[in-house]
Amino acid sequence: DGGITQSPKYLFRKEGQNVTLSCEQNLNHDAMYWYRQDPGQGLRLIYYSQIVNDFQKGDIAEGYSVSREKKESFPLTVTSAQKNPTAFYLCASEGSVNVLTFGAGSRLTVL
Amino acid sequence: GENVEQHPSTLSVQEGDSAVIKCTYSDSASNYFPWYKQELGKGPQLIIDIRSNVGEKKDQRIAVTLNKTAKHFSLHITETQPEDSAVYFCAARFDNFNKFYFGSGTKLNVKP
């Protein structure tokens, strides 16, 4: 089954710690995205990557970092510099133009 | 940049009734408007989309209408069923530009 796998589904972090959220796709898509979802708000773009070894900041990139060393993988690191990291994080890839396929999401809670 | 507003934030209907969710956008250059459905604990899934050269598109019980002049587009669900209960997001995008701009979401509750 082709799709996007995000892990872990739930993650707890202590203040001051960095955490990395995994996103893997087997759809052979070039473009990948990370979104943050907060209650009552739309999806906000953190980072996106159109090709391997290239990525661009989205609207809320501060406190986050990414890498794109392989086409299949686009991990997101939430650093200690992110002031309010508790949120639901969604990874997506784009195959046919304009069609986003989302993963099931990762819920990060800061203790 | 683009700004997408979505209304209402919550919508409760009786099973069998119709539901309408509305979005407005600010950038007249936007030319692609998808709608996503997000079930509890899952990622959003594309349910229908429309391009700016089309005024209406239908897929069984779901339809989307677009008014380019007024810069608004709407999702219509007829004969609603309990499994339609979810959060629905609209979005806007300009071709060849990587950002999708999402509305804030509408929580639809279909009462049996």
Side-chain angles (χ1 to χ4, degrees):
Chain A
D1 255 351
I4 296 184
T5 302
Q6 289 188 241
S7 62
K9 194 170 176 64
Y10 300 96
L11 185 61
F12 298 90
R13 186 194 95 172
K14 292 181 181 178
E15 283 195 28
Q17 284 182 336
N18 292 355
V19 292
T20 297
L21 307 180
S22 170
C23 178
E24 302 280 330
Q25 54 104 354
N26 60 5
L27 300 165
N28 200 33
H29 289 171
D30 287 315
M32 296 186 75
Y33 302 79
W34 273 105
Y35 288 92
R36 171 178 170 143
Q37 185 175 19
D38 295 285
Q41 295 193 41
L43 308 181
R44 293 184 290 167
L45 182 63
I46 305 172
Y47 268 97
Y48 63 97
S49 167
Q50 291 180 275
I51 56 172
V52 175
N53 293 323
D54 185 53
F55 49 82
Q56 286 81 39
K57 292 182 179 180
D59 299 313
I60 57 165
E62 186 176 348
Y64 300 97
S65 66
V66 293
S67 63
R68 187 85 188 276
E69 296 176 3
K70 298 187 299 182
K71 187 175 186 178
E72 303 80 18
S73 180
F74 191 38
L76 173 75
T77 297
V78 185
T79 75
S80 56
Q82 168 50 234
K83 300 300 178 196
N84 183 22
T86 294
F88 190 55
Y89 291 88
L90 286 162
C91 179
S93 68
E94 183 176 0
S96 303
V97 173
N98 286 327
V99 180
L100 287 180
T101 301
F102 284 90
S106 293
R107 186 168 297 280
L108 172 63
T109 302
V110 173
L111 303 173
Chain B
E2 175 64 278
N3 181 43
V4 177
E5 294 192 357
Q6 183 172 345
H7 300 280
S9 56
T10 59
L11 179 59
S12 193
V13 300
Q14 206 67 38
E15 182 177 359
D17 287 350
S18 294
V20 180
I21 303 170
K22 298 181 180 181
C23 288
T24 60
Y25 61 99
S26 59
D27 190 346
S28 56
S30 291
N31 58 4
Y32 174 71
F33 308 93
W35 285 90
Y36 288 85
K37 175 184 181 182
Q38 185 178 28
E39 296 176 347
L40 197 61
K42 297 183 179 180
Q45 279 195 304
L46 178 70
I47 55 171
I48 196 167
D49 56 12
I50 193 167
R51 291 197 152 274
S52 58
N53 58 350
V54 175
E56 183 174 359
K57 185 176 178 181
K58 243 183 154 177
D59 183 3
Q60 299 182 338
R61 295 185 298 109
I62 293 173
V64 57
T65 57
L66 171 66
N67 183 327
K68 280 193 300 183
T69 304
K71 287 191 251 176
H72 66 71
F73 56 112
S74 301
L75 177 71
H76 305 255
I77 306 174
T78 58
E79 300 170 26
T80 53
Q81 300 166 4
E83 51 265 38
D84 294 329
S85 296
V87 177
Y88 292 81
F89 289 98
C90 62
R93 188 195 207 187
F94 174 58
D95 268 350
N96 300 321
F97 187 67
N98 291 94
K99 295 183 181 180
F100 287 80
Y101 291 90
F102 285 87
S104 54
T106 297
K107 186 173 182 180
L108 174 63
N109 179 34
V110 180
K111 296 178 284 187

